[in-house]
Amino acid sequence: MKSRDTVMRLKRFQVDEKRRRVAQIEMMIADFERMVHELEREIASEEQKSGISDKAHFAYPTYARAAMTRKENLQRSADELKTQLEDARVELEAAFQELKKFEILDDREQARERAAEAAREQSDLDRIGLAMRAGFARA
């Protein structure tokens, strides 16, 4: 009984850990995408201030060029995280299926234990009934 409870706690912990990892990656992706949009606005603002939007132009704003590089790096990181997110979701699904398998086995084992206990109780009641019947027959 205790080992089964320990296994169930372990499986639930593993599912919770996988859920946290998925949530963490989703938050990181959202943060990166938010930063990308902010950088896009800053780049557009710099281009508007300077009046130069041609990235090959010699007077293109240095800050806009640096922000563009940063934006591209963030976008690449977000794309890599999306791949990690898919892997984490697959791992979460596998852990969840494993937990469900153990929960079903646990339910079956508990049902067997309840049935055995009910059979023992019925046997005890049958024995008591027979003893009472035998006592009434003697009297």
Side-chain angles (χ1 to χ4, degrees):
M1 184 78 166
K2 283 192 176 205
S3 66
R4 182 174 56 204
D5 291 340
T6 303
V7 170
M8 292 298 290
R9 273 197 308 272
L10 174 64
K11 295 298 178 186
R12 285 186 186 108
F13 176 78
Q14 289 172 341
V15 168
D16 289 343
E17 280 298 306
K18 303 289 184 196
R19 279 186 184 135
R20 279 191 282 278
R21 174 133 172 81
V22 166
Q24 182 183 31
I25 293 172
E26 288 172 339
M27 285 184 353
M28 290 171 64
I29 290 170
D31 285 345
F32 284 0
E33 288 176 347
R34 180 186 47 77
M35 287 188 265
V36 163
H37 292 299
E38 287 176 10
L39 287 170
E40 286 173 345
R41 282 193 298 272
E42 290 178 18
I43 292 167
S45 174
E46 282 294 312
E47 288 176 349
Q48 188 177 21
K49 285 180 194 175
S50 69
I52 302 171
S53 60
D54 180 14
K55 293 158 189 66
H57 193 276
F58 74 93
Y60 188 77
T62 305
Y63 176 75
R65 193 178 311 275
M68 190 168 302
T69 301
R70 174 80 174 128
K71 180 190 93 151
E72 290 166 358
N73 288 340
L74 284 170
Q75 190 62 55
R76 261 193 309 279
S77 296
D79 292 342
E80 290 171 11
L81 282 173
K82 288 175 184 174
T83 302
Q84 289 180 22
L85 178 61
E86 288 306 311
D87 293 343
R89 284 182 175 155
V90 167
E91 290 175 15
L92 172 60
E93 180 63 26
F96 184 73
Q97 292 300 327
E98 188 76 12
L99 172 62
K100 282 296 169 197
K101 181 172 62 174
F102 276 94
E103 285 178 341
I104 290 169
L105 290 173
D106 186 50
D107 288 346
R108 287 181 186 163
E109 182 64 29
Q110 287 179 3
R112 268 190 240 119
E113 289 172 1
R114 284 192 301 272
E117 181 63 27
R120 279 192 297 276
E121 287 176 7
Q122 187 61 47
S123 176
D124 290 345
L125 290 173
D126 290 346
R127 218 173 333 106
I128 292 169
L130 287 174
M132 288 177 69
R133 184 174 180 206
F136 287 134
R138 281 189 235 152

XYZ file of all heavy atoms in Angstrom, residues 6-103:
815
model
N 3.548 5.902 -2.722
C 4.794 6.584 -3.078
C 4.921 6.729 -4.585
O 5.283 7.794 -5.089
C 6.004 5.804 -2.518
O 5.847 5.673 -1.108
C 7.306 6.510 -2.830
N 4.589 5.669 -5.307
C 4.666 5.711 -6.776
C 3.677 6.743 -7.312
O 4.004 7.523 -8.212
C 4.404 4.319 -7.389
C 4.232 4.397 -8.894
C 5.536 3.372 -7.041
N 2.467 6.761 -6.756
C 1.454 7.723 -7.207
C 1.922 9.158 -6.946
O 1.753 10.032 -7.800
C 0.116 7.473 -6.503
C -0.546 6.167 -6.901
S -0.969 6.089 -8.629
C -2.291 7.263 -8.647
N 2.496 9.400 -5.781
C 3.001 10.754 -5.482
C 4.109 11.131 -6.447
O 4.171 12.268 -6.922
C 3.502 10.834 -4.041
C 2.421 11.175 -3.051
C 2.990 11.640 -1.718
N 3.959 10.738 -1.142
C 3.670 9.708 -0.342
N 2.428 9.452 -0.030
N 4.626 8.945 0.139
N 4.992 10.177 -6.735
C 6.086 10.434 -7.672
C 5.543 10.767 -9.058
O 5.992 11.736 -9.687
C 7.014 9.226 -7.756
C 8.120 9.308 -8.810
C 9.093 10.435 -8.488
C 8.843 7.980 -8.925
N 4.566 10.016 -9.535
C 3.999 10.259 -10.866
C 3.298 11.620 -10.905
O 3.420 12.346 -11.884
C 3.027 9.148 -11.260
C 3.678 7.796 -11.424
C 4.707 7.831 -12.519
C 5.412 6.498 -12.656
N 6.503 6.549 -13.620
N 2.568 11.957 -9.842
C 1.905 13.275 -9.798
C 2.945 14.390 -9.787
O 2.766 15.427 -10.440
C 1.006 13.371 -8.568
C -0.267 12.593 -8.717
C -1.210 12.812 -7.548
N -2.351 11.947 -7.666
C -2.586 10.890 -6.903
N -1.761 10.591 -5.915
N -3.644 10.146 -7.097
N 4.025 14.200 -9.037
C 5.099 15.195 -8.988
C 5.712 15.383 -10.377
O 5.947 16.514 -10.807
C 6.170 14.764 -7.979
C 7.351 15.678 -7.940
C 7.283 16.889 -7.270
C 8.541 15.347 -8.582
C 8.368 17.745 -7.234
C 9.624 16.197 -8.558
C 9.544 17.407 -7.881
N 5.934 14.277 -11.078
C 6.517 14.364 -12.416
C 5.592 15.123 -13.365
O 6.059 15.957 -14.144
C 6.801 12.963 -12.961
C 7.958 12.284 -12.271
C 8.124 10.832 -12.681
O 7.202 10.204 -13.203
N 9.303 10.288 -12.432
N 4.298 14.868 -13.289
C 3.339 15.591 -14.142
C 3.356 17.076 -13.792
O 3.376 17.936 -14.684
C 1.914 14.993 -13.997
C 0.872 15.904 -14.626
C 1.863 13.609 -14.638
N 3.369 17.387 -12.499
C 3.402 18.797 -12.074
C 4.669 19.491 -12.558
O 4.622 20.639 -12.995
C 3.284 18.907 -10.552
C 1.899 18.552 -10.053
O 0.953 18.541 -10.868
O 1.768 18.271 -8.839
N 5.791 18.805 -12.486
C 7.051 19.376 -12.970
C 6.990 19.652 -14.469
O 7.440 20.690 -14.939
C 8.227 18.441 -12.659
C 8.717 18.523 -11.248
C 9.231 19.895 -10.898
O 10.104 20.436 -11.600
O 8.751 20.449 -9.887
N 6.437 18.723 -15.219
C 6.313 18.909 -16.672
C 5.372 20.078 -16.978
O 5.637 20.861 -17.888
C 5.787 17.642 -17.348
C 6.598 16.395 -17.111
C 7.911 16.413 -17.805
C 8.617 15.080 -17.597
N 10.003 15.109 -17.913
N 4.288 20.202 -16.206
C 3.365 21.338 -16.405
C 4.076 22.656 -16.132
O 3.888 23.634 -16.857
C 2.165 21.215 -15.467
C 1.113 20.286 -15.937
C -0.100 20.342 -15.026
N -1.059 19.361 -15.442
C -1.703 18.547 -14.629
N -1.512 18.610 -13.326
N -2.555 17.677 -15.097
N 4.864 22.687 -15.054
C 5.601 23.918 -14.731
C 6.589 24.262 -15.846
O 6.734 25.424 -16.207
C 6.328 23.775 -13.392
C 5.446 24.000 -12.184
C 6.254 24.102 -10.903
N 6.686 22.819 -10.402
C 5.937 21.992 -9.666
N 4.711 22.333 -9.354
N 6.414 20.848 -9.249
N 7.243 23.252 -16.378
C 8.216 23.498 -17.454
C 7.508 24.060 -18.688
O 7.990 25.016 -19.297
C 8.941 22.202 -17.802
C 9.866 22.324 -18.997
C 11.209 21.730 -18.745
N 12.030 21.686 -19.930
C 12.720 22.721 -20.406
N 12.690 23.872 -19.787
N 13.447 22.606 -21.499
N 6.364 23.490 -19.050
C 5.598 23.996 -20.195
C 5.193 25.445 -19.954
O 5.356 26.307 -20.828
C 4.359 23.103 -20.478
C 3.386 23.785 -21.425
C 4.798 21.752 -21.052
N 4.676 25.724 -18.767
C 4.247 27.092 -18.443
C 5.431 28.055 -18.476
O 5.308 29.182 -18.970
C 3.582 27.123 -17.078
N 6.566 27.621 -17.964
C 7.757 28.470 -17.947
C 8.203 28.798 -19.374
O 8.503 29.958 -19.690
C 8.881 27.757 -17.197
C 10.152 28.552 -17.082
C 11.251 27.760 -16.389
O 11.313 26.534 -16.487
N 12.109 28.462 -15.679
N 8.226 27.807 -20.233
C 8.638 28.043 -21.624
C 7.641 28.965 -22.321
O 8.034 29.875 -23.058
C 8.793 26.704 -22.383
C 9.972 25.910 -21.808
C 8.998 26.947 -23.873
C 10.087 24.494 -22.349
N 6.339 28.755 -22.068
C 5.326 29.624 -22.678
C 5.512 31.076 -22.229
O 5.386 32.001 -23.038
C 3.928 29.138 -22.309
C 3.531 27.868 -23.014
C 2.217 27.284 -22.516
O 1.778 27.604 -21.393
O 1.632 26.473 -23.268
N 5.829 31.274 -20.957
C 6.053 32.641 -20.462
C 7.291 33.258 -21.104
O 7.277 34.443 -21.469
C 6.197 32.641 -18.938
C 4.883 32.450 -18.228
S 4.881 32.543 -16.403
C 6.553 32.647 -15.911
N 8.346 32.467 -21.263
C 9.561 32.989 -21.890
C 9.291 33.383 -23.342
O 9.743 34.439 -23.790
C 10.684 31.943 -21.812
C 11.202 31.730 -20.397
S 12.334 30.329 -20.265
C 13.696 30.864 -21.280
N 8.545 32.551 -24.057
C 8.209 32.869 -25.451
C 7.415 34.168 -25.511
O 7.690 35.043 -26.342
C 7.435 31.707 -26.111
C 8.353 30.501 -26.318
C 6.830 32.146 -27.444
C 7.631 29.234 -26.741
N 6.429 34.291 -24.631
C 5.604 35.505 -24.606
C 6.466 36.735 -24.305
O 6.292 37.793 -24.933
C 4.488 35.374 -23.580
N 7.398 36.603 -23.348
C 8.294 37.722 -23.028
C 9.157 38.090 -24.232
O 9.328 39.276 -24.542
C 9.195 37.375 -21.837
C 8.467 37.402 -20.516
O 7.342 37.953 -20.447
O 9.025 36.869 -19.528
N 9.728 37.100 -24.890
C 10.577 37.366 -26.052
C 9.770 38.039 -27.159
O 10.241 38.996 -27.781
C 11.222 36.084 -26.577
C 12.366 35.580 -25.741
C 12.783 36.241 -24.595
C 13.038 34.423 -26.097
C 13.843 35.775 -23.831
C 14.108 33.945 -25.338
C 14.506 34.623 -24.207
N 8.555 37.545 -27.404
C 7.737 38.149 -28.456
C 7.342 39.580 -28.099
O 7.294 40.443 -28.978
C 6.508 37.281 -28.720
C 6.875 35.987 -29.439
C 5.717 35.035 -29.639
O 4.648 35.232 -29.009
O 5.875 34.081 -30.432
N 7.078 39.823 -26.833
C 6.764 41.190 -26.389
C 7.973 42.102 -26.624
O 7.838 43.211 -27.141
C 6.380 41.197 -24.903
C 6.047 42.579 -24.361
C 5.826 42.567 -22.855
N 6.822 41.857 -22.091
C 8.051 42.323 -21.793
N 8.425 43.511 -22.218
N 8.902 41.608 -21.099
N 9.168 41.611 -26.291
C 10.386 42.410 -26.502
C 10.626 42.657 -27.988
O 11.062 43.749 -28.373
C 11.595 41.720 -25.871
C 11.611 41.780 -24.354
S 13.157 41.160 -23.660
C 12.722 39.474 -23.309
N 10.340 41.668 -28.829
C 10.503 41.818 -30.276
C 9.597 42.949 -30.774
O 10.029 43.807 -31.554
C 10.209 40.489 -31.010
C 9.975 40.717 -32.500
C 11.335 39.491 -30.790
N 8.341 42.956 -30.310
C 7.402 44.011 -30.741
C 7.862 45.385 -30.250
O 7.758 46.381 -30.986
C 5.985 43.709 -30.255
C 5.382 42.524 -30.932
N 5.162 42.456 -32.282
C 4.967 41.322 -30.434
C 4.641 41.289 -32.590
N 4.511 40.578 -31.493
N 8.378 45.456 -29.043
C 8.886 46.737 -28.527
C 10.061 47.219 -29.369
O 10.157 48.404 -29.709
C 9.311 46.594 -27.065
C 8.152 46.477 -26.091
C 8.614 46.228 -24.655
O 9.829 46.333 -24.370
O 7.745 45.905 -23.832
N 10.952 46.299 -29.702
C 12.098 46.669 -30.530
C 11.651 47.099 -31.924
O 12.226 48.040 -32.495
C 13.104 45.514 -30.614
C 13.916 45.265 -29.345
C 14.685 43.953 -29.454
C 14.877 46.426 -29.079
N 10.655 46.458 -32.475
C 10.137 46.869 -33.788
C 9.612 48.305 -33.740
O 9.845 49.094 -34.662
C 9.021 45.912 -34.249
C 9.532 44.570 -34.698
C 8.423 43.566 -34.983
O 7.264 43.798 -34.574
O 8.730 42.535 -35.616
N 8.916 48.653 -32.653
C 8.413 50.030 -32.508
C 9.577 51.013 -32.364
O 9.557 52.092 -32.947
C 7.486 50.129 -31.287
C 6.094 49.576 -31.552
C 5.108 49.960 -30.460
N 5.465 49.444 -29.139
C 5.114 48.250 -28.666
N 4.405 47.435 -29.412
N 5.462 47.875 -27.451
N 10.578 50.623 -31.587
C 11.736 51.509 -31.405
C 12.486 51.692 -32.719
O 12.937 52.798 -33.033
C 12.657 50.954 -30.320
C 12.064 51.049 -28.923
C 12.972 50.454 -27.861
O 14.175 50.271 -28.124
O 12.456 50.159 -26.770
N 12.627 50.637 -33.480
C 13.304 50.726 -34.779
C 12.532 51.664 -35.703
O 13.119 52.549 -36.345
C 13.468 49.328 -35.418
C 14.465 48.485 -34.608
C 13.899 49.437 -36.875
C 14.467 47.008 -34.967
N 11.230 51.471 -35.759
C 10.387 52.341 -36.610
C 10.488 53.787 -36.155
O 10.578 54.711 -36.991
C 8.938 51.864 -36.565
N 10.539 54.005 -34.857
C 10.654 55.364 -34.315
C 11.992 55.987 -34.721
O 12.049 57.157 -35.133
C 10.514 55.334 -32.797
O 10.762 56.596 -32.249
N 13.057 55.224 -34.592
C 14.388 55.724 -34.971
C 14.452 56.028 -36.469
O 15.028 57.041 -36.877
C 15.475 54.697 -34.603
C 15.841 54.674 -33.148
C 16.505 55.964 -32.689
O 17.443 56.450 -33.359
O 16.071 56.484 -31.645
N 13.874 55.145 -37.268
C 13.874 55.371 -38.712
C 13.077 56.619 -39.052
O 13.478 57.399 -39.924
C 13.286 54.146 -39.440
C 14.192 52.940 -39.432
C 13.573 51.712 -40.069
O 12.351 51.710 -40.357
O 14.322 50.743 -40.286
N 11.975 56.811 -38.343
C 11.149 57.996 -38.598
C 11.895 59.266 -38.188
O 11.867 60.268 -38.906
C 9.830 57.882 -37.836
C 8.851 58.975 -38.189
C 7.529 58.787 -37.457
O 7.474 58.111 -36.441
N 6.483 59.393 -37.987
N 12.560 59.222 -37.043
C 13.323 60.397 -36.573
C 14.426 60.766 -37.564
O 14.650 61.941 -37.840
C 13.967 60.123 -35.216
C 13.026 60.144 -34.058
C 13.810 59.849 -32.779
C 12.902 59.522 -31.618
N 13.668 59.118 -30.438
N 15.134 59.754 -38.059
C 16.264 60.040 -38.957
C 15.806 60.250 -40.400
O 16.548 60.833 -41.199
C 17.273 58.891 -38.905
O 16.745 57.724 -39.509
N 14.637 59.730 -40.721
C 14.152 59.857 -42.089
C 14.809 58.849 -43.017
O 14.663 58.937 -44.232
N 15.538 57.875 -42.452
C 16.230 56.864 -43.260
C 15.728 55.480 -42.846
O 15.881 55.077 -41.690
C 17.768 56.937 -43.050
C 18.275 58.329 -43.412
C 18.475 55.860 -43.853
C 19.716 58.573 -43.030
N 15.149 54.774 -43.801
C 14.663 53.432 -43.492
C 15.419 52.362 -44.274
O 15.191 51.177 -44.067
C 13.168 53.321 -43.776
O 12.924 53.596 -45.137
N 16.345 52.806 -45.129
C 17.163 51.870 -45.895
C 18.303 51.388 -45.004
O 19.198 52.156 -44.631
C 17.704 52.557 -47.147
C 18.571 51.642 -47.980
O 18.548 50.414 -47.734
O 19.262 52.147 -48.883
N 18.284 50.109 -44.674
C 19.280 49.551 -43.752
C 20.702 49.578 -44.343
O 21.676 49.537 -43.606
C 18.888 48.130 -43.369
C 17.621 48.088 -42.524
C 16.970 46.736 -42.599
C 15.616 46.705 -41.957
N 14.582 47.503 -42.596
N 20.804 49.651 -45.659
C 22.111 49.683 -46.313
C 22.675 51.106 -46.395
O 23.854 51.289 -46.728
C 22.003 49.085 -47.710
N 21.879 52.099 -46.068
C 22.317 53.489 -46.130
C 23.401 53.736 -45.080
O 23.324 53.246 -43.966
C 21.115 54.423 -45.896
C 21.397 55.846 -46.245
N 22.014 56.724 -45.378
C 21.138 56.548 -47.385
C 22.119 57.893 -45.959
N 21.591 57.824 -47.183
N 24.434 54.520 -45.458
C 25.568 54.757 -44.546
C 25.155 55.521 -43.298
O 25.798 55.400 -42.254
C 26.703 55.501 -45.289
C 26.400 56.945 -45.546
C 26.812 57.916 -44.634
C 25.706 57.352 -46.683
C 26.538 59.261 -44.869
C 25.424 58.678 -46.918
C 25.834 59.638 -46.011
N 24.076 56.297 -43.351
C 23.660 57.098 -42.203
C 22.499 56.442 -41.430
O 21.871 57.089 -40.594
C 23.246 58.485 -42.674
N 22.250 55.168 -41.712
C 21.178 54.471 -40.986
C 21.498 54.527 -39.489
O 22.645 54.311 -39.087
C 21.070 53.020 -41.472
C 19.869 52.285 -40.921
C 18.596 52.503 -41.427
C 20.011 51.361 -39.886
C 17.494 51.825 -40.936
C 18.915 50.680 -39.381
C 17.659 50.915 -39.908
O 16.561 50.254 -39.416
N 20.500 54.829 -38.648
C 20.765 55.002 -37.212
C 21.417 53.777 -36.576
O 20.969 52.638 -36.754
C 19.377 55.228 -36.617
C 18.507 55.633 -37.753
C 19.097 55.019 -38.978
N 22.480 54.022 -35.845
C 23.228 52.958 -35.179
C 22.344 52.218 -34.177
O 22.383 50.991 -34.084
C 24.461 53.541 -34.450
O 25.233 54.293 -35.402
C 25.317 52.462 -33.861
N 21.540 52.966 -33.434
C 20.659 52.337 -32.447
C 19.664 51.409 -33.143
O 19.402 50.297 -32.669
C 19.903 53.368 -31.606
C 18.932 52.714 -30.656
C 19.377 52.077 -29.509
C 17.569 52.678 -30.942
C 18.501 51.436 -28.658
C 16.676 52.033 -30.105
C 17.152 51.418 -28.958
O 16.282 50.776 -28.127
N 19.127 51.828 -34.280
C 18.167 51.004 -35.020
C 18.839 49.727 -35.513
O 18.250 48.647 -35.448
C 17.582 51.783 -36.187
N 20.090 49.849 -35.955
C 20.828 48.674 -36.427
C 21.059 47.702 -35.260
O 20.854 46.492 -35.397
C 22.159 49.106 -37.039
C 22.864 48.030 -37.820
C 24.167 48.533 -38.461
N 24.044 49.785 -39.189
C 23.658 49.911 -40.464
N 23.342 48.837 -41.146
N 23.598 51.077 -41.048
N 21.461 48.224 -34.111
C 21.687 47.379 -32.937
C 20.372 46.761 -32.452
O 20.334 45.578 -32.070
C 22.332 48.198 -31.821
N 19.300 47.540 -32.470
C 17.995 47.033 -32.046
C 17.514 45.937 -32.993
O 16.895 44.951 -32.561
C 16.986 48.169 -31.974
N 17.817 46.088 -34.274
C 17.421 45.082 -35.242
C 18.161 43.770 -34.987
O 17.563 42.685 -35.030
C 17.695 45.569 -36.667
C 17.088 44.679 -37.717
S 17.109 45.425 -39.341
C 16.203 46.918 -39.035
N 19.438 43.859 -34.685
C 20.218 42.660 -34.373
C 19.661 41.984 -33.126
O 19.484 40.767 -33.094
C 21.703 43.016 -34.157
O 22.200 43.636 -35.343
C 22.535 41.794 -33.837
N 19.373 42.789 -32.118
C 18.800 42.261 -30.877
C 17.441 41.609 -31.164
O 17.138 40.524 -30.658
C 18.645 43.399 -29.870
C 17.949 43.018 -28.605
C 18.888 42.319 -27.658
N 18.216 42.082 -26.395
C 18.158 40.905 -25.800
N 18.770 39.884 -26.331
N 17.528 40.759 -24.664
N 16.629 42.232 -31.969
C 15.308 41.701 -32.328
C 15.443 40.358 -33.035
O 14.727 39.396 -32.727
C 14.565 42.693 -33.224
C 13.191 42.220 -33.655
C 12.623 43.115 -34.723
C 13.000 42.528 -36.028
N 12.227 42.695 -37.164
N 16.382 40.267 -33.974
C 16.582 39.005 -34.696
C 17.049 37.899 -33.751
O 16.604 36.752 -33.863
C 17.582 39.217 -35.840
C 17.021 40.071 -36.962
C 18.078 40.567 -37.930
O 19.292 40.283 -37.715
O 17.699 41.241 -38.903
N 17.933 38.248 -32.816
C 18.398 37.261 -31.829
C 17.243 36.791 -30.946
O 17.115 35.593 -30.657
C 19.514 37.835 -30.962
C 20.813 37.990 -31.710
O 21.033 37.357 -32.744
N 21.694 38.842 -31.206
N 16.408 37.715 -30.505
C 15.255 37.353 -29.677
C 14.284 36.476 -30.458
O 13.729 35.513 -29.906
C 14.536 38.611 -29.172
C 15.215 39.351 -28.031
C 14.541 40.696 -27.802
C 15.181 38.515 -26.759
N 14.079 36.798 -31.727
C 13.168 36.000 -32.549
C 13.701 34.592 -32.728
O 12.942 33.624 -32.647
C 12.958 36.673 -33.914
C 11.849 36.050 -34.717
C 10.510 36.171 -34.013
O 10.083 37.251 -33.649
N 9.843 35.050 -33.815
N 15.010 34.447 -32.952
C 15.616 33.117 -33.078
C 15.450 32.335 -31.778
O 15.108 31.159 -31.780
C 17.098 33.233 -33.440
C 17.391 33.041 -34.897
C 18.863 32.842 -35.171
N 19.734 33.838 -34.580
C 19.983 35.042 -35.092
N 19.409 35.403 -36.224
N 20.806 35.867 -34.497
N 15.683 33.026 -30.655
C 15.531 32.374 -29.347
C 14.084 31.927 -29.131
O 13.838 30.827 -28.629
C 15.964 33.309 -28.226
O 17.339 33.606 -28.317
N 13.136 32.757 -29.506
C 11.720 32.400 -29.363
C 11.387 31.190 -30.237
O 10.660 30.290 -29.809
C 10.829 33.583 -29.725
N 11.942 31.154 -31.435
C 11.700 30.014 -32.324
C 12.289 28.730 -31.737
O 11.667 27.666 -31.803
C 12.276 30.279 -33.718
C 11.525 31.381 -34.455
O 10.372 31.697 -34.063
O 12.101 31.934 -35.418
N 13.475 28.824 -31.153
C 14.087 27.658 -30.502
C 13.243 27.210 -29.310
O 13.072 26.013 -29.078
C 15.515 27.980 -30.058
C 16.489 28.135 -31.200
C 17.858 28.670 -30.761
O 18.111 28.730 -29.537
O 18.659 29.020 -31.636
N 12.727 28.171 -28.569
C 11.877 27.842 -27.423
C 10.582 27.176 -27.876
O 10.049 26.309 -27.160
C 11.571 29.088 -26.598
C 12.687 29.567 -25.679
C 12.316 30.897 -25.045
C 12.988 28.535 -24.602
N 10.074 27.552 -29.026
C 8.855 26.913 -29.537
C 9.105 25.430 -29.801
O 8.235 24.590 -29.547
C 8.356 27.624 -30.786
C 7.749 28.976 -30.477
C 7.353 29.725 -31.727
C 6.846 31.118 -31.349
N 6.569 31.947 -32.526
N 10.290 25.103 -30.295
C 10.658 23.701 -30.495
C 10.741 22.990 -29.148
O 10.233 21.876 -28.990
C 12.009 23.596 -31.231
O 11.905 24.282 -32.480
C 12.405 22.157 -31.472
N 11.382 23.652 -28.171
C 11.472 23.077 -26.824
C 10.081 22.909 -26.210
O 9.823 21.936 -25.499
C 12.326 23.950 -25.915
C 13.792 23.934 -26.243
C 14.582 24.832 -25.302
O 14.144 25.141 -24.207
N 15.765 25.239 -25.737
N 9.199 23.852 -26.492
C 7.834 23.785 -25.967
C 7.107 22.554 -26.503
O 6.428 21.849 -25.751
C 7.064 25.056 -26.324
C 5.607 25.104 -25.889
C 5.486 25.002 -24.374
C 4.962 26.398 -26.387
N 7.253 22.288 -27.782
C 6.618 21.096 -28.355
C 7.155 19.834 -27.697
O 6.388 18.927 -27.363
C 6.826 21.055 -29.874
C 6.001 22.076 -30.619
C 4.520 21.995 -30.290
O 3.944 20.880 -30.326
O 3.927 23.046 -29.980
N 8.483 19.783 -27.498
C 9.077 18.624 -26.826
C 8.555 18.497 -25.391
O 8.245 17.397 -24.936
C 10.606 18.731 -26.813
C 11.207 18.632 -28.203
O 10.512 18.159 -29.135
O 12.383 19.038 -28.369
N 8.462 19.625 -24.697
C 7.979 19.615 -23.308
C 6.521 19.172 -23.252
O 6.120 18.453 -22.330
C 8.150 20.997 -22.681
N 5.729 19.585 -24.232
C 4.320 19.153 -24.261
C 4.211 17.656 -24.503
O 3.355 16.987 -23.931
C 3.554 19.926 -25.328
C 3.241 21.335 -24.910
C 2.445 22.068 -25.945
N 2.064 23.399 -25.455
C 1.792 24.409 -26.225
N 1.837 24.285 -27.539
N 1.453 25.576 -25.701
N 5.068 17.118 -25.363
C 5.081 15.676 -25.612
C 5.460 14.939 -24.322
O 4.836 13.928 -23.960
C 6.050 15.323 -26.764
C 6.317 13.829 -26.845
C 5.501 15.839 -28.085
N 6.474 15.453 -23.622
C 6.889 14.843 -22.358
C 5.776 14.924 -21.314
O 5.554 13.975 -20.562
C 8.148 15.518 -21.822
C 9.393 15.241 -22.626
C 10.599 16.034 -22.142
O 10.554 16.574 -21.016
O 11.584 16.101 -22.881
N 5.077 16.058 -21.268
C 3.960 16.214 -20.335
C 2.867 15.201 -20.648
O 2.325 14.556 -19.742
C 3.399 17.633 -20.401
C 2.103 17.891 -19.617
C 2.296 17.615 -18.134
C 1.631 19.328 -19.837
N 2.537 15.048 -21.909
C 1.503 14.082 -22.299
C 1.910 12.665 -21.901
O 1.092 11.900 -21.389
C 1.234 14.170 -23.809
C 0.178 13.218 -24.303
C -1.198 13.450 -23.720
O -1.512 14.595 -23.326
O -1.975 12.479 -23.641
N 3.184 12.323 -22.123
C 3.661 10.983 -21.756
C 3.585 10.782 -20.241
O 3.151 9.723 -19.771
C 5.090 10.780 -22.248
N 4.001 11.794 -19.480
C 3.944 11.697 -18.018
C 2.501 11.589 -17.543
O 2.190 10.828 -16.617
C 4.630 12.903 -17.378
N 1.605 12.332 -18.178
C 0.191 12.284 -17.818
C -0.390 10.904 -18.115
O -1.146 10.354 -17.302
C -0.574 13.378 -18.573
C -2.015 13.461 -18.184
C -2.387 13.978 -16.958
C -3.002 13.017 -19.047
C -3.728 14.048 -16.593
C -4.332 13.085 -18.694
C -4.694 13.599 -17.457
N -0.046 10.333 -19.260
C -0.529 8.996 -19.608
C -0.004 7.958 -18.612
O -0.734 7.048 -18.210
C -0.107 8.614 -21.038
C -0.783 9.422 -22.107
C -2.286 9.284 -22.095
O -2.825 8.240 -21.773
N -2.985 10.365 -22.429
N 1.238 8.105 -18.215
C 1.831 7.204 -17.225
C 1.092 7.317 -15.892
O 0.782 6.314 -15.254
C 3.324 7.532 -17.056
C 4.073 6.557 -16.205
C 4.382 5.246 -16.904
O 4.220 5.138 -18.134
O 4.771 4.308 -16.201
N 0.798 8.542 -15.476
C 0.045 8.762 -14.239
C -1.329 8.112 -14.341
O -1.780 7.433 -13.416
C -0.097 10.260 -13.944
C -1.020 10.639 -12.788
C -0.505 10.065 -11.471
C -1.176 12.151 -12.705
N -2.012 8.323 -15.463
C -3.341 7.737 -15.645
C -3.286 6.215 -15.560
O -4.162 5.580 -14.970
C -3.945 8.155 -16.993
C -4.501 9.532 -16.984
C -5.654 9.558 -16.008
C -6.110 10.952 -15.731
N -6.919 11.043 -14.542
N -2.239 5.635 -16.157
C -2.090 4.188 -16.119
C -1.981 3.707 -14.660
O -2.656 2.762 -14.257
C -0.850 3.768 -16.914
C -0.617 2.277 -16.960
C 0.499 1.892 -17.913
C 1.811 2.486 -17.502
N 2.954 2.029 -18.304
N -1.170 4.395 -13.862
C -1.018 4.021 -12.465
C -2.289 4.281 -11.667
O -2.632 3.516 -10.762
C 0.174 4.744 -11.829
C 1.476 4.046 -12.087
C 2.269 4.416 -13.162
C 1.904 3.016 -11.276
C 3.455 3.771 -13.419
C 3.084 2.352 -11.524
C 3.871 2.728 -12.600
N -3.011 5.345 -11.997
C -4.275 5.617 -11.299
C -5.301 4.522 -11.592
O -6.021 4.084 -10.692
C -4.831 6.987 -11.701
C -4.083 8.137 -11.078
C -4.585 9.504 -11.513
O -5.278 9.611 -12.550
O -4.279 10.465 -10.801
